[in-house]
């Protein structure tokens, strides 16, 4: 992401998210490795929502979305 001019941050827990990272963001992507617990991913997504984010459903062909609705 950085090589393409996008900001990228690595976190291990939702509390590590810094609101300042999101100040100019229009889109935030979340990825996780296979060893990351689904609960951790859900908590990160919730934290992003508390910071003003809104989730959008993925359209077909955009990749796997592990979030449960």
């Amino acid at each position: 992401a950085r090589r393409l001019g996008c900001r990228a941050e690595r976190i291990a827990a939702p509390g590590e998210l810094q609101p300042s990272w999101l100040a100019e963001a229009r889109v935030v992507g979340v990825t996780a490795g296979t060893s990351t617990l689904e609960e951790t991913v859900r908590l990160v997504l919730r934290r992003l929502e508390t910071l003003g984010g809104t989730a959008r459903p993925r359209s077909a062909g955009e990749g796997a979305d592990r979030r449960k609705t």
Side-chain angles (χ1 to χ4, degrees):
R2 286 186 179 133
R3 283 183 291 175
L4 297 173
C6 298
R7 182 172 193 142
E9 300 293 342
R10 180 178 286 177
I11 63 166
E16 296 177 20
L17 280 169
Q18 300 297 315
S20 62
W21 298 344
L22 308 171
E24 302 292 321
R26 289 181 30 234
V27 175
V28 174
V30 176
T31 64
T34 57
S35 64
T36 305
L37 299 175
E38 286 195 40
E39 178 63 14
T40 301
V41 175
R42 280 194 289 274
L43 290 171
V44 167
L45 293 173
R46 274 194 217 129
R47 171 81 169 131
L48 286 167
E49 288 174 345
T50 67
L51 295 172
T54 57
R56 79 165 173 85
R58 290 178 176 242
S59 60
E62 282 190 292
D65 184 358
R66 297 179 1 183
R67 290 178 291 163
K68 294 180 181 169
T69 55

